[in-house]
Amino acid sequence: MAMITANWWSPDDVAAPDQPRVLLFPFAGGAAHSMREWIVELEPEWRPLVMQYPGRGSRSREPFAASVADLAAAAFADFLALDDGRPPLVLGQSLGGYVAQAFTAALETAGITPRALVVVSVRALGDAGGPPDAAAGRLGRNRWHQQSDDDLLARLHELGGADLEVFEHPALREALLPIVRADLAIGDAHVAHAKPHRVRCPVLAVHGIGDRQVSAAESAAWATWTTGAFQAVSLPGGHFLQQRGPVGLRGILAGLPA
């Protein structure tokens, strides 16, 4: 991966350097390379840029982000220097969905309306303008980041994911679990306290049918967070459905009303 700015990375072998950008926000514990399946899914129609959260990769010496809002603000500040005037596509998975929503709201406040906001495997926060719903409240009470290492790993294995074998190595486990905990902590705080804004762009909510953390109804509740077009799809797979193979996202996006 090649560093573009302090926050944004792009593959060295970008297939479509002249295409409009897709901005990708990883899940809790994820780094820029963790979004590789989505990069493959969206090229060559879109040029990928992935946010590299602090505390991992080349940013491993930086302190973890204090909040979802801080991640979104940092991504927004850097993106302004990269903006080429074409509407980007914004995609966030799990924790990244909350960062993507906050980032999209900042874009729209600045007069930039994305092609669409895609939220994958992420529970909506309830009715816009109202208190979090019961499902969001449950997420706030889970507090996975406060569980023991063994219990946290058990929860992660319930979600699935192709990279969990790295936790079998003691040194990697010691290095990676603090990253996961830090991300889960800010996600938990966001769910409990954030007051996000509706967006105007189309929103696509993608749900994995086997997801044990997010139900189809909780994913579809993103409908209340846009004043534009909305579509909810449930596809085979679990929380990390993209790791089972292509999900056909380009075709789904093509059918999303503008």
Side-chain angles (χ1 to χ4, degrees), residues 234-251:
S234 289
L235 302 172
H239 200 71
F240 298 102
L241 69 162
Q242 80 281 5
Q243 293 180 353
R244 292 185 50 167
V247 303
L249 184 57
R250 278 178 288 173

Side-chain angles (χ1 to χ4, degrees), residues 51-248:
M51 188 178 186
Q52 180 75 292
Y53 300 157
R56 66 216 72 193
S58 65
R59 304 184 69 190
S60 60
R61 295 188 179 182
E62 298 180 37
F64 298 129
S67 68
V68 166
D70 283 355
L71 285 175
F76 172 71
D78 263 12
F79 178 75
L80 290 182
L82 303 173
D83 181 29
D84 61 4
R86 290 180 292 180
L89 177 67
V90 181
L91 184 151
Q93 183 165 16
S94 198
L95 169 72
Y98 297 132
V99 184
Q101 181 192 32
F103 173 81
T104 296
L107 283 184
E108 293 189 341
T109 298
I112 304 169
T113 302
R115 166 67 183 88
L117 167 63
V118 183
V119 285
V120 182
S121 304
V122 56
R123 179 181 291 133
L125 292 179
D127 292 335
D133 62 11
R138 285 198 300 275
L139 179 61
R141 290 194 295 272
N142 280 343
R143 302 191 183 282
W144 285 14
H145 63 284
Q146 295 179 342
Q147 296 183 5
S148 69
D149 286 356
D150 288 342
D151 287 344
L152 175 55
L153 286 171
R155 302 290 81 73
L156 296 177
H157 278 282
E158 287 179 3
L159 293 182
D163 298 328
L164 289 173
E165 66 273 7
V166 299
F167 291 107
E168 297 175 6
H169 302 273
L172 291 175
R173 173 171 166 162
E174 183 178 353
L176 294 174
L177 276 182
I179 298 173
V180 176
R181 289 186 186 280
D183 287 355
L184 290 173
I186 63 172
D188 187 86
H190 185 77
V191 168
H193 304 296
K195 297 180 180 178
H197 300 283
R198 281 191 181 97
V199 298
R200 297 187 299 274
C201 68
V203 171
L204 171 65
V206 181
H207 165 255
I209 294 171
D211 193 339
R212 297 185 180 184
Q213 177 68 7
V214 182
S215 71
E218 289 163 346
S219 176
W222 279 96
T224 194
W225 287 104
T226 180
T227 59
F230 177 78
Q231 183 177 352
V233 295
S234 289
L235 302 172
H239 200 71
F240 298 102
L241 69 162
Q242 80 281 5
Q243 293 180 353
R244 292 185 50 167
V247 303

